[in-house]
């Protein structure tokens, strides 16, 4: 995942990044992220949303992040 995010950052596929993952995964991923990706990181949510629909995720995160 960290490698894909680095590739996409270099392609300028995103300007801002919010990481959403369960706490353990979030910590593991953060440790592997490059500076190029971390420079675009504007937030983190340590929660497991795998059982949510895309709409529920959007609603849950839209209150936290106004981007």
């Amino acid at each position: 995942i960290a490698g894909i995010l680095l590739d996409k950052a270099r392609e300028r596929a995103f300007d801002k990044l919010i990481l959403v993952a369960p706490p353990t995964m979030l910590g593991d991923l953060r440790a592997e992220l490059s500076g190029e990706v971390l420079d675009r990181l504007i937030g983190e949510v340590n929660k497991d949303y795998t059982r949510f629909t895309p709409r529920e995720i959007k609603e849950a995160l839209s209150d936290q992040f106004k981007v």
Side-chain angles (χ1 to χ4, degrees):
I1 294 171
I4 292 169
L5 288 172
L6 177 58
D7 290 344
K8 294 299 180 182
R10 288 180 175 166
E11 293 171 9
R12 300 197 177 274
F14 60 91
D15 294 323
K16 299 174 186 175
L17 177 67
I18 300 168
L19 292 178
V20 180
T24 302
M25 176 63 179
L26 189 60
D28 292 345
L29 180 56
R30 190 183 315 111
E32 298 297 321
L33 294 176
S34 70
E36 292 175 71
V37 174
L38 290 172
D39 288 345
R40 293 168 172 83
L41 186 63
I42 63 166
E44 298 178 354
V45 177
N46 59 357
K47 187 167 181 174
D48 184 354
Y49 282 107
T50 56
R51 296 180 193 258
F52 285 59
T53 66
R55 181 184 195 121
E56 290 170 328
I57 295 169
K58 182 179 178 181
E59 289 172 1
L61 296 178
S62 65
D63 291 337
Q64 291 180 292
F65 299 99
K66 306 290 186 214
V67 291

